[in-house]
Amino acid sequence: MSVSTAMVSGKVTAGIATSHSQRGSVSVNSLTKLFGAVKAVDDVSLSIEPGEFVALLGSSGSGKSTLLMMIAGFGDIMLDGVRINDVPSYRRGFGMVFQSYALFPHMTIAENIAYPLRRRGLRGGDVEREVTKTLKLVALDGYGARLPSQLSGGQQQRVALARALVFRPLLLLMDEPLGALDRKLRQQLQMEIKLIHKEVGSTIIFVTHDQEEALSMADRVAVLERGRLQQLGTPRELYEKPATAFVADFIGEMNFLPVELRQSGGEVCARSPDLGLEVVQEASQVLTSGGGGLLAVRPEYVGLTPDERASAIVLESAYTGTNQSVLVQMGSIRLTARTSVSPGRPLFQSGQRVRIEIDAAHTRVFPPAS
Ligand SMILES: Nc1ncnc2c1ncn2[C@@H]1O[C@H](COP(=O)(O)OP(=O)(O)O)[C@@H](O)[C@H]1O
Ligand SMILES: [Mg+2]
């Protein structure tokens, strides 16, 4: 067994205990955490507005939980000179929900939800009133007297959510809270959590490895890869204006075409001789001086027209009702196109020759993968 030493640097400021920072805001500054040689979190900075719903999205091992725990103040994080990991969780002012429901098995549902209130010194009718209100909020009216073992997984996760919400925290931290549930239940709870967020108004940081979940739930999504923050943006910004080739590839479907790059002044010209395509873009990103790069284009911006004289050929296609996904080959290049299907118009067939048209306005140029 190896023992790793954790090294931490950086700063988290959360507007919970401090009076000068805005209540419910979270800001993270150059946060780094090493486990031995592994950089679990690598120089991450981000700011979250009060009441915002932010998802931390990344594949397994990308550092989501470590970052969330650092924000929660587990680990030696200083909050304006105070080590907030010494502050008991019920006093930190935020709620936490994990994948495992972590309910107290010997306590009833009502007692589980009342627990954070009692730890805060509330007694009697006040507790009862808040518990009843919160049970209603998570749609578990009348379940208060049961034990956790008498509830389904989805219901237990709702109780965990209620327990985290009962004291109206300014900040709610959730680490893959729906990870253990089946698809249908997940989707239902995704909606419910969004509704609850609207009603309660807490700032939410929600960890998930599921891009659909992140995009459909969050106001903004932070994409992590190997501990590094790749991009923090609205779902639409991530989809339409991915900052890195990683994000472009990770979010949705993307074609990457090899292109020649020429940079002059503030502009970059990307050329694909094979496709007879030339795209000029602002050189806001760091690009290599000359040489090759990648042009990214979503399947919905690859247009196909049947043309017997064209050199591109359809390899495969899949019909999905409203759309047809079509894989085409042209020289050494393979591209996926998504075309909308209209009644009466024939579908593309394998072996068919097609002309490819790429909408240059919807492409992004990236430096070659490092
Ligand atoms: N307690 C620990 N000791 C050693 N390595 C750890 C520990 N916790 C996490 N790591 C490593 O840090 C990296 C990030 O882990 P984690 O934050 O759990 O990722 P995620 O939640 O995105 O799956 C991984 O490489 C993981 O193996
Ligand atoms: Mg995790």
Side-chain angles (χ1 to χ4, degrees), residues 167-331:
F167 55 90
R168 308 290 141 163
L170 286 167
L171 177 61
L172 184 57
L173 305 176
M174 300 201 251
D175 194 347
E176 314 233 13
L178 311 180
L181 308 175
D182 65 47
R183 193 180 152 80
K184 206 164 166 189
L185 210 49
R186 274 176 88 104
Q187 287 174 337
Q188 192 189 331
L189 271 175
Q190 284 168 8
M191 280 296 166
E192 276 171 32
I193 290 173
K194 276 175 80 166
L195 283 173
I196 289 169
H197 174 241
K198 270 213 190 93
E199 196 164 328
V200 177
S202 307
T203 308
I204 294 184
I205 307 180
F206 185 102
V207 165
T208 179
H209 65 268
D210 179 339
Q211 57 148 305
E212 214 177 296
E213 185 164 282
L215 295 180
S216 66
M217 291 184 82
D219 299 319
R220 288 194 300 160
V221 178
V223 180
L224 288 169
E225 192 227 4
R226 281 186 278 160
R228 293 198 75 96
L229 178 64
Q230 295 276 322
Q231 189 170 6
L232 172 60
T234 63
R236 197 145 178 203
E237 282 164 354
L238 295 187
Y239 191 82
E240 293 178 2
K241 297 196 157 52
T244 63
F246 176 83
V247 175
D249 192 29
F250 192 67
I251 305 286
E253 254 189 281
M254 189 66 94
N255 292 295
F256 287 99
L257 304 171
V259 284
E260 295 164 7
L261 294 184
R262 252 183 311 111
Q263 187 159 356
S264 62
E267 287 187 334
V268 168
C269 175
R271 244 168 50 84
S272 165
D274 285 341
L275 289 169
L277 182 75
E278 202 168 85
V279 176
V280 178
Q281 268 183 13
E282 254 178 78
S284 48
Q285 307 181 48
V286 186
L287 289 162
T288 47
S289 47
L294 294 170
L295 185 81
V297 59
R298 301 255 178 226
E300 58 267 35
Y301 294 115
V302 178
L304 300 180
T305 316
D307 182 346
E308 278 171 28
R309 292 155 305 165
S311 50
I313 192 162
V314 173
L315 293 178
E316 242 341 307
S317 69
Y319 170 70
T320 58
T322 46
N323 290 312
Q324 190 184 18
S325 274
V326 186
L327 181 65
V328 290
Q329 173 117 32
M330 180 158 166

Side-chain angles (χ1 to χ4, degrees), residues 28 30 39 54 58 90 107 150 169 179 184 194 252 255 286 289 298 301 303 307 332-333 363:
V28 163
S30 314
K39 263 192 185 165
V54 169
Y90 61 89
M107 288 188 193
Q150 295 170 311
K184 206 164 166 189
K194 276 175 80 166
N255 292 295
V286 186
S289 47
R298 301 255 178 226
Y301 294 115
D307 182 346
S332 59
I333 295 169
T363 61

